[in-house]
Amino acid sequence: MSAREEILTRLRAAVADIPPVEVAREYRRGGVASVELLADRLVDYGATVRRSTRAEVGAAVAECLADAPAIVVPDDLPAHLLAGYRGVVLREPLAVERLDGASAVVTGCRVAIAATGTIILDGGEGQGRRALTLVPDHHVCVVGADQVVAGLPEAVAVLDPRSPQTWISGPSATSDIELRRVEGVHGPRRLDVIIVD
């Protein structure tokens, strides 16, 4: 028996006679799944937010990527999102070195929380793997207005807890070092969000 197995066996034995505790916690639900509130929260965090129609979303993405010579996208990103972009498009799967050479990444999302200004990616269609959104310095995320929910309980209800998730509330930033804000430490310095009505 390994040391790990021995410790786990002891822990299980120590708590074996303790009855399970039922935790009934009622989270506040409701509120308005407001696109305006989501946009306001994202702007507060330092993101750039644009509104678009489905017909014009390709042009909106291209505008966000005007200074990006090469971008990376998930292999299943819908083609209409890149209709106006004229640079080099690298599709997943990519080696980390190639991923690091991309100026920007374009993805969709699974759900967005209006109350907190949080966008959640779960590796589903049009989102790619986690490294895809953490390595390039600029992230363009396309959010459908129908993907916006009011609060955290509503978002958790649509997520699969077994999926790898990335929760994004604005560009990457930290104030851990001498309480000075530093951007781009744990992900992209720039976040552009296009909300499609």
Side-chain angles (χ1 to χ4, degrees), residues 124-177:
E125 182 180 348
Q127 299 167 53
R129 60 187 170 128
R130 292 191 75 219
L132 184 70
T133 59
L134 298 174
V135 175
D137 204 37
H138 181 193
H139 183 185
V140 178
C141 188
V142 179
V143 178
D146 61 337
Q147 294 177 298
V148 179
V149 297
L152 184 63
E154 293 85 359
V156 170
V158 301
L159 294 169
D160 181 349
R162 297 167 295 184
S163 298
Q165 298 171 9
T166 304
W167 293 49
I168 303 166
S169 295
S172 169
T174 184
S175 295
D176 293 346
I177 304 166

Side-chain angles (χ1 to χ4, degrees), residues 3-25:
R4 179 180 184 271
E5 291 168 340
E6 184 179 335
I7 291 170
L8 290 174
T9 300
R10 286 184 193 173
L11 288 171
R12 287 183 189 110
V15 298
D17 60 343
I18 299 174
V21 177
E22 286 192 34
V23 178
R25 185 167 187 172

Side-chain angles (χ1 to χ4, degrees), residues 16 22 27 29-31 37 40 47 78 85 87 102 109 116-118 125 141 145 149 167:
E22 286 192 34
Y27 289 95
R29 292 181 182 269
L37 180 59
D40 183 57
Y85 179 67
C109 77
T116 62
T118 305
E125 182 180 348
C141 188
V149 297
W167 293 49

Side-chain angles (χ1 to χ4, degrees), residues 21-163:
V21 177
E22 286 192 34
V23 178
R25 185 167 187 172
E26 188 59 38
Y27 289 95
R28 184 173 57 178
R29 292 181 182 269
V32 179
S34 165
V35 169
E36 288 75 21
L37 180 59
L38 173 68
D40 183 57
R41 296 286 196 261
L42 285 165
V43 168
D44 280 350
Y45 294 141
T48 301
V49 179
R50 290 174 174 78
R51 300 288 295 269
S52 177
T53 63
R54 179 165 163 69
E56 298 170 347
V57 70
V61 169
E63 184 180 318
C64 292
L65 298 170
D67 61 345
I71 64 168
V72 62
V73 298
D75 62 346
D76 59 351
L77 188 77
H80 74 277
L81 296 180
L82 301 176
Y85 179 67
R86 299 293 172 240
V88 176
V89 177
L90 306 170
R91 291 198 178 266
E92 279 279 274
L94 294 171
V96 175
E97 299 79 31
R98 299 241 11 235
L99 184 57
D100 194 32
S103 307
V105 58
V106 179
T107 71
C109 77
R110 175 65 177 101
V111 66
I113 305 172
T116 62
T118 305
I119 297 166
I120 305 171
L121 286 72
D122 67 359
E125 182 180 348
Q127 299 167 53
R129 60 187 170 128
R130 292 191 75 219
L132 184 70
T133 59
L134 298 174
V135 175
D137 204 37
H138 181 193
H139 183 185
V140 178
C141 188
V142 179
V143 178
D146 61 337
Q147 294 177 298
V148 179
V149 297
L152 184 63
E154 293 85 359
V156 170
V158 301
L159 294 169
D160 181 349
R162 297 167 295 184
S163 298

